[in-house]
Amino acid sequence: MQFVYEVEAGNFTKAGNASSDFKKVLKQLNVPPQIIKRTVIALYEGEVNIVAHSLGGKIECEITPDHVVINLIDVGPGIPDIEKAMQEGYSTASAAVREMGFGAGMGLSNMKRNTDSMHITSSKEDGTTVTLKINLT
């Protein structure tokens, strides 16, 4: 099963819609609650990152009998220093984003903490793709 969600840059009123929808799918498939929780936390963090830091993007979620794979693909400026961006508390969020309560610098580290694997590719020309894998077994 595969699901694709479009994510609009800067629209925080819709941030979380993909995560909420995918959570319903996982519940319908009787995925264990702890795995749903980990998946939705990681997905939500990625979704907010697309809203806050990119020019828009999409989320592709694939469910197999053994795992969930999530590709968070954005069009944007890329991440200049991925290692630095992985540090808890490091953020490039604008002041406006922080005033709304986002941009604490925990997004990527929370994504990594709640998944079984995480891979990031990023460039100024191609934007950022974050691939997350959560084992179901």
Side-chain angles (χ1 to χ4, degrees):
M1 283 186 192
Q2 194 163 25
F3 302 86
V4 177
Y5 304 96
E6 298 296 324
V7 181
E8 185 180 338
N11 190 344
F12 285 91
T13 61
K14 291 185 177 178
N17 285 359
S19 306
S20 179
D21 186 74
F22 195 62
K23 180 179 180 179
K24 291 175 189 169
V25 171
L26 295 174
K27 281 185 172 182
Q28 290 171 349
L29 294 172
N30 293 318
V31 172
Q34 187 59 30
I35 293 175
I36 293 174
K37 182 179 178 182
R38 293 175 55 219
T39 303
V40 172
I41 288 170
L43 177 54
Y44 178 77
E45 293 286 3
E47 187 175 2
V48 169
N49 277 351
I50 292 174
V51 171
H53 298 288
S54 79
L55 302 174
K58 66 179 177 179
I59 300 170
E60 300 171 345
C61 300
E62 180 182 7
I63 305 168
T64 73
D66 298 325
H67 55 262
V68 172
V69 175
I70 300 169
N71 288 305
L72 302 134
I73 304 162
D74 77 36
V75 177
I79 303 171
D81 186 338
I82 293 172
E83 188 175 322
K84 194 170 187 177
M86 290 299 299
Q87 295 175 4
E88 292 186 0
Y90 176 79
S91 177
T92 59
S94 68
V97 169
R98 290 177 192 229
E99 285 176 16
M100 289 186 281
F102 299 98
M106 296 300 293
L108 290 176
S109 58
N110 277 339
M111 292 163 70
K112 184 171 181 147
R113 186 177 301 114
N114 285 287
T115 57
D116 293 297
S117 70
M118 176 174 158
H119 180 73
I120 302 172
T121 59
S122 187
S123 73
K124 192 181 280 187
E125 298 79 23
D126 298 324
T128 300
T129 298
V130 179
T131 300
L132 308 171
K133 184 175 176 183
I134 300 99
N135 295 330
L136 296 176
T137 56

